[in-house]
Amino acid sequence: MSRYYSKDHEWLEIDNNVGIVGITDYAQHQLGDITYVELPEVGTEIKQFSIFCTIESVKAASDVYAPVSGKIIEVNSRLENEPEIINKSPEEEGWIVKVEISDTSELKNLMDKASYENYIKELD
Amino acid sequence: MNFCPHTPEDIREMCSVCNVNEVDDLFKELPVEEIDFKKLGKGISEYEGYNLILNLARKNNLLSYHFLGAGFYDHIIPSVVDFVASRSEFYTAYTPYQPECSQGTLQSLFEYQTAICNLTDLEVTNASLYDGGTALAEAVLMSLRITKREKIIMDKSVNPIYRNIVKTYLKFLPYELIEVETEEIEPDFGKIKSLLDSNVACFVFQNPTFYGSVHDWTDLINFAHEKNILAVSSVYPISLGIVKTPGKMGVDIATGEGQSLGNPLSFGGPYFGFLVTKKVYIRNMPGRIVGETLDRNNKRAYVLTLQAREQHIKRHRATSNICSNEGLCALRALVYLCSLGKSGLKELALINFSKSEYMKKKLIEIGLVIKNNATTFNEFVVKFNRPAKEIFSTLLSKNIAFGIPLYLFGGSENDILINVTEKMSKYNIDNVCSILEAIL
């Protein structure tokens, strides 16, 4: 399994043809306490870098962008009642959706862990 | 997020759309130099001004009494309502955004919310909306957001003004609104049922209807729920003292005009709308919601909550443009409901019901026809055998406003919508009926 990162601070973990998507620890820190996650519906087709979900925190409501195109096959319904999981475990338990990836060539538009770490260092 | 309302770039863009070079050009046409301010004359003293206005006011023909309703009702307002609402802590309070200095306002709105939930038997409401019509339109939009469907079925016995507001809200949105003709003046349940398919977001009705008829919509609501269609209703809050509540019928979003709860008719406002729904839909509800919590010292405290959905946090993603509420009118409703209490509201509703039943009986005795097939709550339609306009004018010349002729709302020329509240005395009813008998 390998992990990819987007410039919009989403992570994508690939397991066969299925991608698990969440927001990074950096992103959850920026947002502050998360109060609500407006989850998409299973079956929705998403396009790389388009909005598929909104996360509300005490500070702002932010869009989450799809790191890769495909079809949503599962959502983390725990987030409906416990959105704070994203604060506690953004890159594990706080995953948001699972996506059936439609075009693996899009992965080249994403960063690996080391590049992402450099990227956020530059932002700070 | 740019916090400047309009940047120089925005202003340039707007000016170019209007074909002007700068904002001042828009006002060039105003003939400020030509206005002769001297013509306005010299000032007058306060006393002279007072008398001038008083003499103008005396020219008004004051009504002896009236039977006007159609969504706005003349009820007795206990003096405690004016007393509490005019206290400066409430009257001049500005915004409850800062909970540390607005606890009184927030508490009153929280208690208002509690009262509205109790009144309607539903779970969550906001701190009020602008009026009954916009509340209904917001409820329709809510149902579209919740179901992600695009069709709305609306019964034509919903107040025509509200129907127009809903139509206006939907005018430029990609949704289909189907209005269902009534059978005479009663809802056509069969027709509405036949239109409830899986593309429908909600069906909209009013209880009592615009014509005053009371129905139990429970069966149709259950049928709609089987197809995941939401039931949206507009209600007359005073009627809920005796009429089956929207919550008991299974309504998903109930709305209404709050004027009858302690707000005077005052030439059309300000009034307030209420919108109350099931807890599961709270995230899709517009407006502001006051919540109760504990502060750091474990003391009870009130805050605006779930604002995250609205302008402050959600900004351009906000689910509606509602960013305020009718706080003072809502406060009046709270004081009114508290002063009546549960049994008082029931008693009041019964008095309203009985007085209008008495008037119906008297009208039938003088040979008139009541058009409603159903039971009515303090309002009903009388049919005459000649134009209602004539009847209305004759009675108006005797300073009695005898209901609302329905041709004004596209109804039959011979029909008048009559409203009788607790304010109407038996003497007045007998009097107007004998005048009517004489002119028929």
Side-chain angles (χ1 to χ4, degrees), chain B residues 13-72:
Chain B
E13 210 180 310
M14 288 190 278
C15 285
S16 91
V17 171
C18 302
N19 247 340
V20 292
N21 293 322
E22 52 179 18
V23 176
D24 283 350
D25 289 350
L26 291 168
F27 304 101
K28 268 188 180 163
E29 301 299 316
L30 293 177
V32 179
E33 295 78 17
E34 290 167 33
I35 298 172
D36 184 359
F37 290 99
K38 281 182 188 157
K39 268 193 182 166
L40 292 174
K42 278 169 67 181
I44 52 174
S45 70
E46 181 188 329
Y47 184 66
E48 286 169 309
Y50 177 79
N51 275 326
L52 183 73
I53 307 257
L54 198 65
N55 286 330
L56 284 175
R58 283 193 183 122
K59 288 186 176 178
N60 283 325
N61 264 336
L62 295 180
L63 289 174
S64 310
Y65 41 91
H66 75 83
F67 296 86
L68 308 173
F72 304 95

Side-chain angles (χ1 to χ4, degrees), chain B residues 216-229:
Chain B
D216 187 349
W217 291 75
T218 312
D219 289 346
L220 195 60
I221 292 169
N222 290 339
F223 176 80
H225 283 167
E226 281 168 25
K227 297 176 183 248
N228 295 321
I229 296 166

Side-chain angles (χ1 to χ4, degrees), chain B residues 268-331:
Chain B
Y271 298 151
F272 77 92
F274 58 87
L275 185 154
V276 52
T277 185
K278 295 172 177 170
K279 197 176 173 189
V280 31
Y281 302 130
I282 194 167
R283 286 272 170 186
N284 285 291
M285 185 164 75
R288 45 164 72 146
I289 301 150
V290 179
E292 190 185 75
T293 184
L294 294 174
D295 70 6
R296 64 199 298 181
N297 302 318
N298 258 350
K299 285 187 177 159
R300 187 163 62 172
Y302 299 91
V303 285
L304 280 189
T305 187
L306 282 184
Q307 287 178 85
R309 288 172 32 269
E310 295 310 322
Q311 279 82 353
H312 322 289
I313 300 277
K314 228 173 170 184
R315 294 168 187 158
H316 63 281
R317 295 181 203 81
T319 46
S320 94
N321 287 321
I322 301 282
C323 59
S324 185
N325 69 302
E326 298 277 4
L328 202 61
C329 297
L331 171 73

Side-chain angles (χ1 to χ4, degrees), chain B residues 164-181:
Chain B
N164 264 339
I165 295 173
V166 172
K167 277 187 255 185
T168 307
Y169 264 64
L170 295 174
K171 196 169 181 182
F172 296 106
L173 297 174
Y175 302 113
E176 187 188 359
L177 173 67
I178 299 171
E179 292 189 277
V180 185
E181 287 294 338

